[in-house]
Amino acid sequence: MGSITLDIVCGANLNGISTIAVYSELYPDLAPLAQYIKIKKFPRTFTQTGNFVVSDLPLEDASVGTRCLHVNAGTNTGVIDYGSVKVGNFAIWDTIYVNLEKVLAAIGSRTVQASYYHFDFGRNNDLTSFLPMAGITDLQILTDWTTAPNNFIIYSEQICGLWVK
C-alpha cells in the first residue's frame, strides 16, 4: 500500500481537543492484505426534486462486495422519499420508502444514521452479506427527493480482498 487517505469530519464542539494524531502499525514483511472494509465517496449534485439516477459509479472486480451504499442529505438538507437499486434490468432494492428502510435496519440490529438513506446489503451486521460485484456491468441507484439536496455524497462501503478463484 503506497498511501492512505483519512477523511475525518469534526463537529463544532470538540471538547477542547486542539489536535488529532493518527498512528498506524507497520510491519516489515509485505504480506498481502486479508479482507478489509473500504469506504469510497462519490460527490453528486442534484438541485431539484424528483428522481435522480446515478449510473456512473465505478464498477469493481470480483474481489469486492458492496455492504452498503449511504446517501447523505446534501448541503441543502435534502429529503429522500424512497430509493431503489438496479443491476441490469433487475431491481435488487425495489422502491423502499424511508420509514420501511428504518424498520428493516432496526430489525437487523442496525442504527440508521440521521440525514442518510442506507441501501444496506449487509443486514444483521453479517460480514458475509453483501452485493457481490463480480460480473456487474450495469449498476443504477435511484433516489427520489422531495426536497432538493444540492450537493450530496454517496458513500460505498465495500469488503475488499474476497477470495476468488
Side-chain angles (χ1 to χ4, degrees):
M1 181 181 303
S3 67
I4 187 168
T5 301
L6 298 176
D7 188 0
I8 302 171
V9 178
C10 299
N13 183 358
L14 295 176
N15 296 325
I17 296 173
S18 60
T19 62
I20 297 174
V22 178
Y23 300 94
S24 65
E25 292 185 32
L26 300 175
Y27 299 97
D29 56 335
L30 296 175
L33 291 174
Q35 289 184 3
Y36 59 97
I37 293 180
K38 175 171 48 174
I39 298 176
K40 291 184 173 182
K41 68 182 198 178
F42 304 100
R44 291 291 183 263
T45 300
F46 188 58
T47 58
Q48 56 194 25
T49 60
N51 289 339
F52 183 67
V53 176
V54 175
S55 58
D56 62 348
L57 292 183
L59 299 174
E60 302 291 344
D61 63 25
S63 68
V64 175
T66 299
R67 286 189 33 83
C68 193
L69 296 166
H70 309 276
V71 181
N72 79 351
T75 56
N76 191 41
T77 314
V79 177
I80 293 178
D81 192 25
Y82 61 85
S84 181
V85 175
K86 286 187 176 183
V87 173
N89 290 324
F90 300 100
I92 59 170
W93 185 280
D94 193 15
T95 311
I96 296 182
Y97 288 83
V98 170
N99 289 338
L100 178 56
E101 184 256 337
K102 289 179 182 177
V103 169
L104 291 172
I107 290 170
S109 300
R110 303 275 283 202
T111 302
V112 175
Q113 187 174 353
S115 299
Y116 280 80
Y117 184 95
H118 304 278
F119 297 99
D120 188 358
F121 304 110
R123 295 281 181 211
N124 299 316
N125 291 319
D126 181 0
L127 289 177
T128 62
S129 296
F130 52 81
L131 172 63
M133 298 306 293
I136 292 181
T137 58
D138 180 22
L139 177 66
Q140 297 178 25
I141 301 165
L142 178 140
T143 47
D144 183 74
W145 297 86
T146 56
T147 304
N150 291 345
N151 299 309
F152 68 98
I153 299 173
I154 298 172
Y155 294 93
S156 178
E157 181 182 342
Q158 303 171 336
I159 295 181
C160 301
L162 298 175
W163 184 81
V164 287
K165 192 172 185 179

